[in-house]
Amino acid sequence: MPDVDVIVVGAGLAGLRAADLLRARGLTTLVLEARDRVGGRTWTTELAGAPVELGAQWVGPGQPRILALLDELGLATHHVAHDGRKVVAAGGRVRTYSGTVPPLSPTALAGLQGALWAMDRLARTVDPAAPWDARRAAELDGRTLEQWKRRHIPPGSGRSVFDAAIRVVFGAEPGELSLLWAAHYVAGGGGMEALVEVQGGAQERRISAGTQALALALSARLGDAVRLSHPVERVVQDAGGVTVTGPWGQARAGRLVVALPPHLAGRIAFAPLLPVARDALTQRFPMGQTIKVQVRYERAFWRARGLSGEAVLADGPVSVVIDGSGAEGAAPGLSAFVVAEPGRQASRWTPETRRERVLDQLARCFGDEAREPLGYADLDWAAQEWSRGCPTGSAVPGALSRLGPALREACGRVHWAGTETARQWAGYMEGALESAERVAAEVGAAR
């Protein structure tokens, strides 16, 4: 295998775009991917004759990099159907509503709305590019989002609805999340409403050809520089460059970009050893738990009932549902999420049990027709060897304020990319592309 200027580990969006930008700078690149496909946490498959997403699915306003790249590559998007009333299942009742905040008791409603505003205010005190520099960084990092929630939302259905939303955004329970990490995440995404809404939010549009089409197009542009089924097990740095090895052999480059989430990057053996802060960070950055569900139907029966296809379920196993149909209502379907602790429980169920319980939850929200799909598919991301979770890694309490700079600090000739390292939209495809731009500039300046 020939020597190159830069080796990139990981053919997700961050790795592929980094290689693309480095090549545009005149550098030779080699992309090594452990999977037998490109795309990382994007994965488009077919269900009942139409593309569905088992991974990342949406783009929205305030995400200029991905929207510009889609235009450059000629990939069209379409708006996600959102007309109609939404559903909330909480406190043993199923109700419908319009707007952002569901119809709860006056106390629960006031608490939930107040908490959303309070989180946005808190997020404005944190620079998402350097949350460890916030004035109250150590204090916020020493608390969990659960502790903050208990202070701001009274006991009852308001808390359970908040939990459902947080589970989908992070793949984690509020008690598992550093408050500083949560505030940084909300700040980088433009506020709580932007993170959870369809219209005007991060779920506003879909890539019509499938989300993985973006990775496939970048990979095609890179050609034979992308090598699949090439896991990297060891990295050795010396004065002249970097040597990477795996069961496929070895390759050498002047510099290395690791475009993996921290918990996977930490499984690579480095010589010499990485700095203590970087090693400690990778041990404190678990990946979220997500089982992504796609269900296809003959018709969008929920729309006939005046429903949008959106639902929040406070009592699981499903936490959130969004209309997953194609452009202009083609290929009617629903996208559902079994996440965080309910996801960990569901990962122990048989596929048949999981399907039955998910369809029961959809029927509870949208009617008995939900139990008769044309097709059903789900994917437990925690069971994927080269992902071990989704949608994002999150810093545990106490890590970000002390170890956060190690997210992006180069270690000699080794540089770090990936959506978790992003200064804006961490955890999203936009964040993956932002990290690619940063690391390409960083490597280019270091040569």
Side-chain angles (χ1 to χ4, degrees):
M1 192 174 290
D3 291 353
V4 293
D5 293 320
V6 185
I7 292 174
V8 178
V9 180
L13 291 184
L16 291 170
R17 183 57 168 163
D20 185 46
L21 294 171
L22 288 165
R23 176 175 285 193
R25 288 173 172 262
L27 303 179
T28 57
T29 61
L30 178 66
V31 181
L32 303 177
E33 169 57 50
R35 299 175 177 88
D36 60 1
R37 62 173 182 84
V38 298
R41 283 168 269 177
T42 68
W43 193 357
T44 304
T45 188
E46 188 174 285
L47 183 64
V52 294
E53 310 300 344
L54 295 179
Q57 185 161 340
W58 298 287
V59 299
Q63 299 179 353
R65 292 170 184 84
I66 193 164
L67 295 176
L69 185 59
L70 289 169
D71 284 343
E72 177 187 330
L73 296 172
L75 293 171
T77 65
H78 64 268
H79 283 263
V80 173
H82 65 274
D83 292 336
R85 295 180 65 79
K86 306 174 188 178
V87 174
V88 60
R93 297 178 61 189
V94 176
R95 288 169 281 189
T96 64
Y97 68 102
S98 300
T100 301
V101 181
L104 307 172
S105 71
T107 300
L109 180 61
L112 182 57
Q113 182 64 77
L116 297 177
W117 290 336
M119 178 52 70
D120 282 347
R121 289 195 300 271
L122 177 62
R124 287 194 290 270
T125 71
V126 175
D127 178 0
W132 43 85
D133 289 337
R135 183 174 60 85
R136 299 168 54 207
E139 175 192 343
L140 297 176
D141 207 25
R143 298 166 59 193
T144 66
L145 185 57
E146 174 71 19
Q147 291 171 316
W148 181 91
K149 177 194 78 177
R150 290 178 178 273
R151 178 181 176 185
H152 286 86
I153 308 178
S157 56
R159 286 185 181 178
S160 58
V161 169
F162 181 84
D163 288 348
I166 293 300
R167 286 171 182 145
V168 171
V169 171
F170 295 95
E173 296 292 326
E176 298 168 336
L177 297 168
S178 152
L179 181 56
L180 179 63
W181 175 260
H184 132 275
Y185 203 91
V186 172
M192 282 295 294
E193 188 169 340
L195 296 184
V196 302
E197 281 294 297
V198 172
Q199 186 176 17
Q203 289 71 232
E204 185 176 88
R205 295 195 233 170
R206 284 183 59 191
I207 301 170
S208 299
T211 306
Q212 198 180 356
L214 184 56
L216 291 169
L218 289 172
S219 179
R221 197 146 79 177
L222 292 165
D224 61 7
V226 179
R227 307 293 174 89
L228 302 180
S229 302
H230 275 58
V232 170
E233 297 176 340
R234 182 173 174 80
V235 172
V236 178
Q237 292 193 65
D238 56 47
V242 181
T243 301
V244 301
T245 60
W248 42 269
Q250 70 177 37
R252 185 166 173 80
R255 292 192 174 267
L256 179 72
V257 171
V258 179
L260 303 176
H263 76 298
L264 291 182
R267 297 182 183 187
I268 299 173
F270 288 87
L273 294 175
L274 295 177
V276 170
R278 174 67 198 189
D279 188 57
L281 181 73
T282 64
Q283 299 174 49
R284 293 163 173 81
F285 225 97
M287 185 64 82
Q289 163 71 40
T290 294
I291 299 174
K292 179 75 174 290
V293 181
Q294 296 287 2
V295 190
R296 283 283 322 283
Y297 293 98
E298 182 71 34
R299 67 186 190 97
F301 52 86
W302 53 94
R303 293 182 201 156
R305 295 183 172 90
L307 302 176
S308 67
E310 293 178 58
V312 177
L313 297 94
D315 47 8
V318 173
S319 289
V320 167
V321 184
I322 296 178
D323 190 299
S325 306
E328 299 180 356
L334 296 169
S335 304
F337 296 84
V338 182
V339 283
E341 183 55 32
R344 286 189 280 267
Q345 295 174 15
S347 69
R348 297 192 289 267
W349 300 343
T350 65
E352 294 76 18
T353 296
R354 196 153 67 211
R355 181 182 190 276
E356 180 182 1
R357 294 189 183 184
V358 167
L359 294 181
D360 282 347
Q361 291 280 280
L362 297 181
R364 180 184 178 200
C365 293
F366 304 114
D368 286 341
E369 285 181 75
R371 291 193 174 91
E372 300 177 358
L374 285 177
Y376 173 99
D378 67 33
L379 183 68
D380 182 355
W381 280 92
Q384 298 298 302
E385 181 180 8
W386 303 113
S387 299
R388 301 315 307 265
C390 210
T392 184
S394 294
V396 301
L400 194 61
S401 59
R402 294 181 293 113
L403 306 170
L407 261 178
R408 295 192 290 267
E409 285 180 352
C411 300
R413 294 175 176 273
V414 178
H415 304 260
W416 311 104
T419 189
E420 285 81 9
T421 73
R423 295 165 295 192
Q424 294 286 334
W425 287 101
Y428 289 76
M429 292 185 285
E430 174 73 10
L433 298 180
E434 190 267 357
S435 79
E437 291 182 2
R438 171 189 54 77
V439 81
E442 185 180 295
V443 171
R447 294 187 76 251

